[in-house]
Amino acid sequence: MELGFVGLGRMGMNMVVRLLRGGHRVIVYNRSPEKVREAEGHGAVGTTSIADLVARLGRPRAIWVMVPAGPATQDMIDTVVRHLDRDDIIIDGGNSNFHDDARRAEILKPLGLHYVDVGTSGGIWGLQVGYCLMVGGEEAVFRQLEPLFRTLAPEHGYGHMGAHGAGHYVKMVHNGIEYGMMQAIAEGFALMHKSPYGLDLPRIANLWMQGSVVRSWLVELAGRALEEDPALQKIRGWVEDSGEGRWTVQDAIDQSVPAWTITAALFARFRSREEDSFADRMLAALRNQFGGHAVRARE
């Protein structure tokens, strides 16, 4: 199958390579020319602009946009649309908000353009093991693109979730769950790190992968990280959030669904970025005021 692909970041480049290995013809564009040249080295057809990319595709065209969510994705989609014709397809494989998907589909429908949202999970390991793909949009268009999904995903690793936005909605909840799982693993290993037993944490992570109830890819990755740096002394405990955890919590509020674990995990990430926070200084001041408890001066 032939596909236009925009965005050659960490995931985008690996996805292009996997598609090429699967026998697809991939025409690529990236704002950084060196990334285009790298993709050409793998067998892709490089281009110098969106207009150039579109011109090299046969109709009906399918273009996969894989750039950061938010304004960058919207700007790129707006640019691509200006060069397309009826029955062409735009695929957003990033981490867009599902509300944006429904809005975009409505805008593109009168133009005769199809829109597909693909929640993509797999990270930097996707090239090797495949990507889990959660797809939203018209089912007929999903079937049309299925050869691409079949190549990108492991066996049984892709599916049509429903109408426009359903793919990114399921991926959003997936990431919210991921927040909670990661937080629980982090807290458990922190507890064992402080235990009086001198526990071998990498060994325990590997042990838990052998038939235990908590065995998972995340536990496997925890073991890898601990083998490289047993005390995790080389990194700061500063944790970013991609935005999907926030959207998951907001949707839980909108739907009146109690999501305590995901919410707490999101707040734990916020807390990781604070050093000597005002709230902590207020707590120390209050204990001093009502109980005369000692406080430590700031350095």
Side-chain angles (χ1 to χ4, degrees), residues 214-228:
V214 299
R215 67 186 182 277
S216 65
W217 190 42
L218 290 173
V219 170
E220 180 184 344
L221 293 177
R224 288 174 183 266
L226 290 165
E227 286 173 0
E228 295 170 2

Side-chain angles (χ1 to χ4, degrees), residues 166-185:
H168 279 149
Y169 181 84
V170 173
K171 175 57 162 51
M172 175 192 78
V173 177
H174 164 283
N175 279 27
I177 294 170
E178 179 185 293
Y179 278 37
M181 293 174 66
M182 291 172 67
Q183 187 64 33
I185 291 168

Side-chain angles (χ1 to χ4, degrees), residues 116-139:
V116 176
D117 54 285
V118 182
T120 306
S121 181
I124 60 175
W125 293 88
L127 174 59
Q128 177 182 342
V129 302
Y131 301 89
C132 180
L133 304 176
M134 297 144 270
V135 186
E138 303 158 80
E139 185 167 4

Side-chain angles (χ1 to χ4, degrees), residues 134-282:
M134 297 144 270
V135 186
E138 303 158 80
E139 185 167 4
V141 179
F142 165 78
R143 296 299 175 194
Q144 186 178 341
L145 298 171
E146 198 166 7
L148 300 172
F149 303 145
R150 192 178 296 116
T151 298
L152 287 169
E155 187 176 7
H156 309 303
Y158 70 92
H160 182 242
M161 303 293 102
H164 297 108
H168 279 149
Y169 181 84
V170 173
K171 175 57 162 51
M172 175 192 78
V173 177
H174 164 283
N175 279 27
I177 294 170
E178 179 185 293
Y179 278 37
M181 293 174 66
M182 291 172 67
Q183 187 64 33
I185 291 168
E187 292 173 6
F189 276 92
L191 185 60
M192 290 189 290
H193 178 66
K194 284 197 171 184
S195 80
Y197 295 106
L199 298 172
D200 184 337
L201 300 188
R203 179 170 174 270
I204 291 169
N206 182 64
L207 175 67
W208 284 357
M209 289 301 298
Q210 315 309 315
S212 85
V213 173
V214 299
R215 67 186 182 277
S216 65
W217 190 42
L218 290 173
V219 170
E220 180 184 344
L221 293 177
R224 288 174 183 266
L226 290 165
E227 286 173 0
E228 295 170 2
D229 183 6
L232 301 180
Q233 295 176 325
K234 299 177 183 177
I235 59 175
R236 289 179 56 199
W238 195 101
V239 188
E240 182 60 274
D241 68 286
S242 64
E244 289 183 294
R246 301 182 189 217
W247 300 341
T248 305
V249 171
Q250 183 59 59
D251 192 61
I253 293 169
D254 294 342
Q255 304 296 336
S256 300
V257 173
W260 296 305
T261 302
I262 295 172
T263 302
L266 175 64
F267 286 178
R269 294 194 178 197
F270 295 165
R271 181 65 182 85
S272 76
R273 303 168 211 164
E274 294 188 354
E275 296 180 4
D276 190 27
S277 71
F278 182 86
D280 288 345
R281 296 200 299 276
M282 177 59 76

